[in-house]
Amino acid sequence: MFCYQCQETIGNAGCVKGGACRKSESTANLQDLLIYILKGLAIVGVKTRDKGALDKKYGRFISKALFATITNANFDDARIISLIKEAVTLRDELKGNCQIHSYPKIHDSVSWEIDNQEEFTEKAKQVGVLSTENEDTRSLRELLICGVKGIAAYADHAAILGKENDLIYDFFIEALESTTRDLSVDEMVALVLKAGEFAVTTMALLDKANTEAYGNPEITKVNIGVRGNPGILISGHDLKDMEILLKQTAGTGVDVYTHSEMLPANYYPKFKKYKHFVGNYGNSWWKQQTEFESFNGPVLMTTNCITPVKDSYKKRIFTTGMAGYPGVKHISDSGDNQEKDFSEIIELAKQCQPPKGIETGEIVGGFAHNQILSLAEKIIEAIKTGAIKRFIVMAGCDGRGASRSYFTEVAKALPKDTVILTAGCAKYRYNKLNLGDIGGIPRVLDAG
Ligand code: SF4
């Protein structure tokens, strides 16, 4: 295997004998094969698209398949294999529809056998990251692939809420297909920059999907303590799952808490109305092994980040959506536009002890664009008077490395007339420091 798609990569160079995330060699190889088949699907997609618009189902599928390969999302070989099989079916369907016979032979068939580990390992070596020998070409191709993986995650969440954009789906096809051709450095850089533009377009689409469904995030004090009822902990990013869980737990005596990336759910008006939505439990993804243990109740992983599951909570953790972990129960879509059914999790919660408190107090968040704009006058005034001298942006994912305490130290050391703008789970490095406010404006503005 060779994977260097995230900051946790071993030695800042690449994971080669299992991932720092504990991704196994077979999962890494299967994910390489899935990307390879998606490139084949994209080759046919480009040719088909020249003759007319592609059905949305191809873009939807590519979103989901790419999403399954992002860091800490899906470690379940059986699920990746089923995505590979589906990709082959869709590719051949498109090929048949358009009677295309002349695309590169390398993508022409699944000559390897995905149920045979030796064969697929060998094939993965031929098509994985290192199969591109020139380092500059490899870097630019992989940067683009990493970009579309991230865009795919946003696009999938937006699609779940009924918002789609054909241009985003077309870009997946353009980007994936481009990596199968010899392009100049300038052409590859242009595609990477285009991925940046599509990331913004897709975030805007997801923002529209979220805010139309659940209202604009608003300033909220989030409880980080616990109550005495049994609870369910929900993690990841999928707000539709959050909505369904809150509805299905209402009146059952089971409380709901967010974990890690799901913290921003606390800021949406439509969720805040549920009295059994207690607040947030714990910190960012890498502390989950101890926090899931002390939570005592069921945990629902709606997307990344799931880390190796300990036996102590294996029977009470569930995945849904594109998340997956071997041996962990997966809650699938119910189909026919029916809501997912979380009753098994709710029944399990009723038999569990209430969560053990690990901290008390509140954190303040909800400073997404609409809320910030409503505070604009106050903020501009504070800048004019010199009360606020500087804004510092510290955003992105948290990591488990000891050196990540750097961000805590920076936050503590910043002058009192500075404001930190943050988003992503890196915020857990400083969002409980009580850094105070400047004339009522919190010194950590959490956008989500
Ligand atoms: Fe390593 Fe896992 Fe990150 Fe890949 S996703 S670079 S295997 S830690």
Side-chain angles (χ1 to χ4, degrees), residues 46-186:
V46 164
K47 289 182 185 287
T48 313
R49 202 185 47 190
D50 294 344
K51 302 174 188 208
L54 275 185
D55 191 294
K56 280 189 175 48
K57 73 176 179 183
Y58 299 102
R60 269 180 215 147
F61 172 76
I62 292 173
S63 288
K64 288 189 182 299
L66 287 170
F67 192 176
T69 68
I70 69 169
T71 304
N72 288 336
N74 201 318
F75 295 84
D76 187 350
D77 287 4
R79 296 269 311 284
I80 307 295
I81 287 173
S82 97
L83 287 167
I84 290 173
K85 288 180 174 168
E86 198 176 341
V88 170
T89 304
L90 288 173
R91 182 202 65 187
D92 290 347
E93 178 185 289
L94 259 189
K95 185 183 158 198
N97 284 350
C98 299
Q99 295 163 344
I100 293 165
H101 303 293
S102 60
Y103 58 101
K105 194 164 184 354
I106 187 168
H107 292 285
D108 201 24
S109 64
V110 183
S111 56
W112 35 277
E113 182 51 66
I114 46 181
D115 297 322
N116 179 328
Q117 184 146 358
E118 253 175 52
E119 277 194 43
F120 81 63
T121 303
E122 193 45 46
K123 186 68 187 175
K125 264 192 216 152
Q126 293 166 23
V127 302
V129 171
L130 297 181
S131 62
T132 303
E133 284 179 16
N134 180 289
E135 288 187 352
D136 291 339
T137 306
R138 184 197 302 156
S139 298
L140 285 164
R141 283 180 181 169
E142 292 306 316
L143 188 53
L144 182 59
I145 294 292
C146 280
V148 291
K149 285 183 179 191
I151 296 168
Y154 293 133
D156 184 52
H157 287 306
I160 286 168
L161 292 172
K163 295 276 185 271
E164 293 178 281
N165 178 340
D166 285 337
L167 295 177
I168 296 168
Y169 292 161
D170 280 354
F171 181 67
F172 291 150
I173 285 171
E174 179 186 358
L176 286 163
E177 189 268 350
S178 79
T179 64
T180 67
R181 287 185 290 121
D182 289 327
L183 300 180
S184 69
V185 166
D186 283 350

Side-chain angles (χ1 to χ4, degrees), residues 1 3-10 14-15 18-23 28 70-72:
M1 70 174 278
C3 181
Y4 68 163
Q5 73 176 5
C6 84
Q7 188 271 339
E8 299 271 304
T9 198
I10 291 172
C15 296
C21 60
R22 302 287 184 272
K23 182 160 74 177
I70 69 169
T71 304
N72 288 336

Side-chain angles (χ1 to χ4, degrees), residues 37 65 90 111 116 123 128 135 152 185 200 237-238 270 279 285 293 351 359 386 424 427 446 448:
I37 294 293
L90 288 173
S111 56
N116 179 328
K123 186 68 187 175
E135 288 187 352
V185 166
V200 176
H237 305 91
D238 197 295
K270 193 157 176 190
W285 63 273
E293 215 164 70
Q351 297 157 31
E359 53 196 348
K427 67 171 74 90
D446 176 10

